[in-house]
């Protein structure tokens, strides 16, 4: 059996985190950060992840701002981001999404579709 994929989930919504835990806890090694600054702190401390599921709109640092900072400091990890969004976001975030070409899932996400998407994304990243 291969080593479990390390997934960082960055979301300020406890119910979303609980749903993601239910969907992925059996398959992946999960870590959670409730905001962008907490995610950056974990990376600075040396935590490593194979995939980052990141809410786009959070208080404080947005998902786009977090991604930009990760891209600057840990470019290899930036490619492993997937944004979760409510589907509506501001002009800055929308422009960043187009430029950065990051996969995006719109909440609410059906668990089986989410599982399949993440499986495919991890397979792409490992190629």
């Amino acid at each position: 059996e291969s080593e479990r994929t390390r997934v960082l989930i960055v979301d300020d919504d406890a119910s979303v985190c609980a749903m993601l835990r239910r969907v992925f806890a059996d398959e992946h090694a999960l870590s959670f950060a409730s905001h962008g600054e907490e995610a950056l702190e974990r990376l600075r401390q040396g935590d490593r992840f194979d995939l980052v599921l990141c809410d786009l709109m959070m208080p404080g640092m947005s998902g786009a701002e977090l991604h930009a900072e990760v891209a600057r400091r840990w470019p290899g990890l930036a490619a492993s981001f997937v944004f979760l969004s409510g589907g509506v976001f501001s002009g800055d975030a929308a422009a960043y999404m187009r430029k950065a070409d990051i996969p995006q899932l719109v909440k609410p996400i059906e668990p089986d579709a989410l599982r399949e998407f993440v499986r495919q994304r991890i397979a792409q990243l490992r190629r």
Side-chain angles (χ1 to χ4, degrees):
E1 186 186 331
S2 64
E3 189 178 317
R4 284 160 58 101
T5 306
R6 296 159 305 176
V7 179
L8 175 61
I9 294 165
V10 187
D11 201 307
D12 60 315
D13 184 332
S15 64
V16 171
C17 290
M19 180 273 291
L20 293 170
R21 180 175 274 125
R22 283 193 304 276
V23 170
F24 291 120
D26 293 343
E27 278 179 79
H28 306 296
L30 303 180
S31 296
F32 293 86
S34 58
H35 51 80
E37 291 87 351
E38 183 182 349
L40 281 179
E41 185 54 34
R42 300 194 63 160
L43 293 168
R44 277 195 292 267
Q45 290 173 359
D47 288 7
R48 291 294 164 254
F49 301 98
D50 303 302
L51 186 72
V52 180
L53 297 177
C54 182
D55 188 13
L56 194 55
M57 304 306 282
M58 295 178 286
M61 178 182 283
S62 72
E65 290 166 333
L66 172 61
H67 181 268
E69 184 63 17
V70 167
R72 197 173 65 74
R73 299 171 78 154
W74 302 280
L77 182 61
S80 66
F81 266 64
V82 173
F83 282 130
L84 306 173
S85 84
V88 178
F89 37 84
S90 70
D92 285 354
Y96 187 84
M97 293 289 292
R98 283 192 300 276
K99 182 180 67 131
D101 192 30
I102 298 156
Q104 179 192 343
L105 297 170
V106 178
K107 299 186 265 190
I109 306 154
E110 203 275 317
D112 288 338
L114 181 58
R115 242 182 241 110
E116 182 56 30
F117 178 89
V118 166
R119 253 185 228 119
Q120 289 176 6
R121 188 73 189 126
I122 289 168
Q124 285 172 344
L125 291 168
R126 288 187 170 153
R127 279 207 278 278

